[in-house]
Amino acid sequence: MLACSVALIQTYSMKFRRIKAEESFEYNLLGVGLIGCLTYHMLLFVPSLETVVHSMIYSSVFEKPDLVPREQAIRDTANPVSIEELRGTAMLYLVKCTLEVCQALLQFFFIVEASRRGPCCRNQARIKPGRSAIVFLLINNLALWLMNTFEFRESENQLLLHRQYYGIRTWPVITCCFIPLIIFFRFHSTVCFAQIWSKLYELH
C-alpha cells in the first residue's frame, strides 16, 4: 500500500494519453479479480468483527455453562482455543482484511492511472520517476500470486473461526469461488505492472 502511494505521487506529474480498446478490456478483467478479492476479504471481515464485538460484550458470560454463544462452540472442536486467543485471532484478521482491501483498491487505481500516463519530456523519460516502486509492486504481486497458488489446497482447512461461522459445507464453496479470483487478480496485476514498467516511459 505504501509502495502504491509512493508510485502514485512520483508519476503524478506525467501527462495523460489515450488508452486503446485492448487496454480497457484488461481493466475489466482486473476489475473482476478485484471484486473477488474484495468480496472474499469482506467475508473474512464480518465474522472477525462479530467475534471481537461478542467477546468484548459477553466476556463475563462465557464462563456460564447455560449460556453458550456461537464462538464458544469452537472450544468443542478437535483443536479447542480460549476466548482470549480467539479474540486476538479475530483482531488480527480485522487488521489484515482492512489492509488487504485498501491495498487492492489503491493498486487497482494506480494500475488504471499509470496505464494512461506517459512522459511529458525527454528528461522525464530519462529519469523514469516511480520505476523502482513499480518493480517492487511487480515482485510483490508475483510473490503473493505464488503464495496464494500453493496455499489454495489448504485454504479450506485453515481459518477455523470462519469455517465455524459459515459452516462446514458453505466455507469450502466460498474458498473455491473466491480464492481463484484472488489468484487471478495477483497474476493479472503482475502482468499489468510488467506492461507499465515497459511502456510508461516511452515517448510518443
Side-chain angles (χ1 to χ4, degrees):
M1 188 165 61
L2 181 61
C4 288
S5 302
V6 171
L8 275 171
I9 294 172
Q10 292 179 345
T11 58
Y12 182 75
S13 59
M14 303 181 75
K15 68 176 182 179
F16 277 101
R17 63 178 180 84
R18 292 185 178 181
I19 61 173
K20 300 178 181 179
E22 57 269 17
E23 291 179 344
S24 61
F25 179 70
E26 290 181 0
Y27 301 152
N28 295 333
L29 290 178
L30 192 63
V32 172
L34 176 66
I35 292 173
C37 184
L38 297 180
T39 305
Y40 179 75
H41 287 101
M42 288 305 297
L43 290 173
L44 296 183
F45 184 87
V46 172
S48 301
L49 180 62
E50 183 176 332
T51 301
V52 172
V53 172
H54 284 185
S55 62
M56 293 176 64
I57 295 177
Y58 301 107
S59 57
S60 61
V61 183
F62 283 153
E63 302 301 327
K64 297 182 180 181
D66 54 335
L67 295 175
V68 182
R70 180 194 295 262
E71 293 81 6
Q72 185 72 14
I74 300 181
R75 287 187 174 183
D76 301 328
T77 59
N79 299 313
V81 294
S82 64
I83 296 301
E84 291 75 15
E85 293 175 351
L86 188 63
R87 183 190 304 173
T89 302
M91 292 183 69
L92 287 176
Y93 275 109
L94 281 178
V95 176
K96 175 183 179 296
C97 293
T98 303
L99 293 177
E100 288 275 2
V101 168
C102 294
Q103 193 276 332
L105 288 172
L106 190 60
Q107 178 173 292
F108 179 78
F109 176 74
F110 171 71
I111 290 175
V112 175
E113 184 78 5
S115 299
R116 299 182 178 185
R117 290 187 179 269
C120 59
C121 60
R122 292 184 179 273
N123 184 45
Q124 200 172 54
R126 180 180 58 84
I127 296 175
K128 297 180 174 59
R131 195 168 197 179
S132 57
I134 293 173
V135 172
F136 175 80
L137 289 169
L138 190 155
I139 297 173
N140 184 41
N141 278 271
L142 180 62
L144 289 173
W145 169 63
L146 292 173
M147 184 181 68
N148 291 331
T149 301
F150 287 112
E151 288 183 350
F152 176 67
R153 293 183 178 180
E154 300 296 330
S155 59
E156 295 182 9
N157 299 323
Q158 296 174 352
L159 305 177
L160 175 64
L161 169 66
H162 304 87
R163 190 171 74 247
Q164 187 73 26
Y165 182 86
Y166 290 108
I168 298 176
R169 295 182 179 179
T170 307
W171 181 244
V173 175
I174 292 175
T175 56
C176 290
C177 289
F178 293 106
I179 293 294
L181 290 176
I182 296 176
I183 295 173
F184 173 76
F185 175 73
R186 293 302 175 185
F187 174 77
H188 201 63
S189 296
T190 304
V191 175
C192 290
F193 279 124
Q195 292 178 349
I196 292 172
W197 180 82
S198 62
K199 296 181 180 180
L200 179 61
Y201 306 102
E202 292 180 355
L203 286 170
H204 297 282

